[in-house]
Amino acid sequence: MSIQLQMEQMPGYLAARFIGVGVGGEASQQFELIAEHCKLTNNDKLLIDTTRYDVDVKISLVDRFLLGERLGIFARYGIKVAFFSKPEQLDPRKFGALVAQNRGASVDAFTDFQAAEEWLLK
């Protein structure tokens, strides 16, 4: 599989964009690298954009749980995270975000970019 990670400084936050096709869990393996980059660039707000990233299999509940656990890394760094995804990527119950929140992370997931950015910048 082939995914790319692009990071861009935006006004008030860092944007991390995943692009390409991957397998479940592949993108979340990059979370510590992204958190380190946030720390180095003094960013405590992060928008993760997965709208140009596709997983080649159906994402299971276990995958969503593991995603939430991996999002916990951002709690340790004190980084607020907004996920921006396509509607078909986002679990309507936001299970992964709930798991992350239960681990102390300030995380939410959105299908609307403006709503994600507004929440992030609050």
Side-chain angles (χ1 to χ4, degrees):
M1 300 299 135
S2 176
I3 64 168
Q4 292 180 356
L5 171 60
Q6 296 178 343
M7 290 189 264
E8 178 182 3
Q9 184 63 52
M10 304 297 285
Y13 65 92
L14 183 72
R17 295 181 186 91
F18 288 100
I19 300 167
V21 178
V23 295
E26 187 175 5
S28 63
Q29 293 174 3
Q30 305 281 333
F31 287 173
E32 189 157 4
L33 172 81
I34 295 168
E36 283 289 332
H37 189 79
C38 285
K39 181 180 175 183
L40 290 172
T41 57
N42 295 317
N43 282 286
D44 63 356
K45 293 181 174 74
L46 171 68
L47 185 133
I48 298 177
D49 180 347
T50 62
T51 57
R52 297 192 302 173
Y53 174 63
D54 291 307
V55 177
D56 68 349
V57 295
K58 184 176 179 352
I59 300 173
S60 70
L61 190 62
V62 171
D63 292 331
R64 293 183 190 285
F65 178 82
L66 294 173
L67 170 67
E69 282 200 321
R70 289 184 181 140
L71 283 166
I73 186 78
F74 296 109
R76 292 192 293 277
Y77 283 83
I79 300 167
K80 182 177 183 181
V81 181
F83 249 90
F84 172 50
S85 304
K86 295 181 277 191
E88 61 270 17
Q89 293 172 318
L90 184 62
D91 172 13
R93 296 167 296 176
K94 299 183 181 181
F95 182 65
L98 179 62
V99 171
Q101 291 163 2
N102 287 339
R103 280 144 184 78
S106 178
V107 175
D108 206 346
F110 304 85
T111 57
D112 176 88
F113 178 79
Q114 185 174 349
E117 194 174 54
E118 286 174 8
W119 177 85
L120 186 62
L121 295 174
K122 277 192 216 176

